[in-house]
Amino acid sequence: MEIRMLIDRTDPFAAVKPDARLIKLLVRAHRFNTTLVQSDGVAFAAFAVREGVSRSYFTRVVRLSYLAPDITQAILDGRQPCDLTAEKLLAHSRLPLAWRDQRAALGFA
């Protein structure tokens, strides 16, 4: 009788290449956030109008600028879970601020 151990060496987070739509979304999130931080009391809605997006979309995108740094880096490197798309990331409009909880919600845990 023989026992063999098979080791699967595939990385479940490995994508073929970085997802351009996810990266564009993260860049936009940080740009929106920088605009807000540097503003002198300009109304939130005015930024959305200036960007040509709805207030809801603007808010959801800004929240993505608070992703855990390792999640952001994984997306930039193309190591996000295979099912994580820009649409799915935007659908998580109420992502928790706790990085551990973000990882669990987005499939990084």
Side-chain angles (χ1 to χ4, degrees):
M1 191 163 168
E2 180 179 294
I3 297 175
R4 293 183 358 189
M5 182 180 356
L6 300 175
I7 300 172
D8 183 8
R9 296 185 187 261
T10 59
D11 182 355
F13 298 107
V16 175
K17 62 181 180 178
D19 184 324
R21 295 186 74 212
L22 276 170
I23 293 171
K24 182 179 178 182
L25 189 58
L26 292 181
V27 169
R28 182 175 256 192
H30 286 277
R31 184 171 51 86
F32 284 5
N33 191 12
T34 299
T35 301
L36 282 174
V37 170
Q38 294 175 349
S39 73
D40 275 340
V42 177
F44 195 83
F47 288 120
V49 170
R50 188 173 80 191
E51 293 291 335
V53 297
S54 70
R55 288 185 307 196
S56 171
Y57 178 82
F58 189 86
T59 302
R60 287 182 289 149
V61 171
V62 167
R63 287 182 181 149
L64 297 179
S65 66
Y66 297 101
L67 282 176
D70 59 308
I71 293 174
T72 300
Q73 190 62 53
I75 291 170
L76 294 174
D77 294 342
R79 295 181 294 107
Q80 71 277 354
C82 295
D83 66 338
L84 183 61
T85 63
E87 293 79 18
K88 183 177 178 181
L89 190 56
L90 270 177
H92 285 285
S93 63
R94 299 271 186 225
L95 273 174
L97 289 176
W99 292 344
R100 181 187 73 244
D101 297 339
Q102 290 177 1
R103 291 181 195 103
L106 297 174
F108 285 89

